[in-house]
Amino acid sequence: MAQERRGEWGSRLGFILAAAGSAVGLGNVWKFPYITGENGGGLFVIIYLICIAFVGLPIMIGEVMLGRMTQRAPVGAFTKLAGETSPWRGVGWIGVAAGFVILSYYSVVAGWALDYTLIAARGEMSSGDPAAMAERFGEVAGDGLGATLWHVAFMGLSVAIVIGGVQKGVEIAARVLMPLLFAMFVALLIYATRLEGFSRGFEFVFGFHTDKLGPGSVLEALGHSFFTLSVGMGAMLTYGSYLKRDDDIVGASVAIALLDTAVALLACLVLFPITFTYGMEPAAGPSLVFTNIPMAFAQLPGSTIWAVTFFLLLVFAALTSAISLLEVTASYFIDERGWSRSVAVPVCGAAIVLLGIPSALTASSETFGAGMEASFIGMSWFDLFDYVSSNWMLPLCGLGISVFAAWRLGDPERRAQFEAGSKLGRIAGLYLTWLGVLRWLVPVGIGLIMLHALGVFG
Ligand code: PHE
């Protein structure tokens, strides 16, 4: 195996920024609001927050730890700890496969955002009419060839950054753009609080209502908690492999989870007031952010600048996530097969481009809004890829990671990893609580939710 010197983060903040850049993305701004809308808000949001705190965050700590201990990407990490022929390597495989599948359709959505940036720049988004906005989205997503070309363009950008290597590419992109995105949302929130529909929007997100909560909803909330934190496929493991021995894993993971959750809730608190103010549909599906945000901008002076900035930031948020997805798939070939970075990255990128074409072609506007009720067979490629990867592959791989970290790692070392450089990690009882959660709560919880979704409990 040709060993190039392994990259390391340039600063303590480097890991947090890059990992937060991976976590915060289309999952927060595009997907979370739309699935919240489809599942009726309220209780769905509460279940999601519980999943983040008690499943996603504990697994993130374990995942980053496995990365730092082994200095490998997912498959290599399990090979190193469990052996060449161990079935545990399968967990790493699911993660790498999930990376391919997720990025294939993720890049299609990011492609729409790229397209929207240019549409906004041409000033074609200031009509302020909900029907015109919906039609616009139908044109963008329904044009298979156009969507494919934008998907290719977005993958090209991702490949270019990942070839540059960890420190130069990923860290710089995250350092500059994350705070900007956050600031933009805070500004939008101030705008949203002045809307007539703000209190209804707020009630929709935080009120307690169960009406639209279907059997698949809990699985959806669980799957999304993995998706949004970038946990359960080895992205955090791979980023953790570039950490130094005395970096604070617990503190960083908590910070990332808080930031990620803040952006997701902000997005909802901006989008739903707009929805109710202009009589739009909360369960509009994947078109939600693309139709509602331009509606808000149309009312503001300087709408073109606002809209261009927003969609550009969305593209960058997607880019810092896509980078981590691509890094996982490429790292497998770099670490395990001895490929050079400049070969592995474009080859993986090209494979993902091909895999994403069916999604670009089938994500036409008619399939939208079908929601979770859509039968397995009735789903488009796009929906199917999303459903299988985030609701099944991520939780399964996450389950493997947590069981391995909690039951297979030996104790003095695991505890030392947990506490290294961390004030938080040394709080009395926290280590044992975390271990207990990973050992019992996570496997039982994921198991029950999956059985429930499969209809085992009637
Ligand atoms: N967390 C990213 C988002 O919310 C998506 C992602 C999933 C990235 C899995 C990496 C791994 O957009």
Side-chain angles (χ1 to χ4, degrees), residues 22-28 102 106 227-230 233 235 321 324-325:
S22 166
V24 176
L26 296 172
N28 308 61
I102 292 176
Y106 198 85
F227 185 91
T228 192
L229 293 178
S230 305
M233 58 154 294
S321 303
S324 69
L325 287 157

Side-chain angles (χ1 to χ4, degrees), residues 32 159 339 448:
F32 182 63
V159 166
W339 294 17
L448 286 178

Side-chain angles (χ1 to χ4, degrees), residues 127-181:
S127 82
D129 166 26
M133 297 295 174
E135 199 178 314
R136 196 66 174 129
F137 181 74
E139 283 165 21
V140 167
D143 168 14
L145 181 63
T148 304
L149 292 178
W150 286 113
H151 155 62
V152 173
F154 180 80
M155 281 306 299
L157 282 174
S158 310
V159 166
I161 296 184
V162 176
I163 286 184
V166 182
Q167 189 178 327
K168 270 177 277 157
V170 186
E171 222 173 312
I172 296 174
R175 183 179 292 261
V176 185
L177 299 161
M178 294 282 304
L180 263 182
L181 181 75

Side-chain angles (χ1 to χ4, degrees), residues 281-304:
E281 172 55 54
S287 68
L288 192 71
V289 73
F290 291 98
T291 52
N292 290 33
I293 286 283
M295 266 309 285
F297 291 149
Q299 325 295 321
L300 293 172
S303 59
T304 301

Side-chain angles (χ1 to χ4, degrees), residues 13-36:
L13 210 58
F15 168 75
I16 298 198
L17 279 170
S22 166
V24 176
L26 296 172
N28 308 61
V29 180
W30 163 73
K31 192 173 171 189
F32 182 63
Y34 102 66
I35 59 176
T36 296

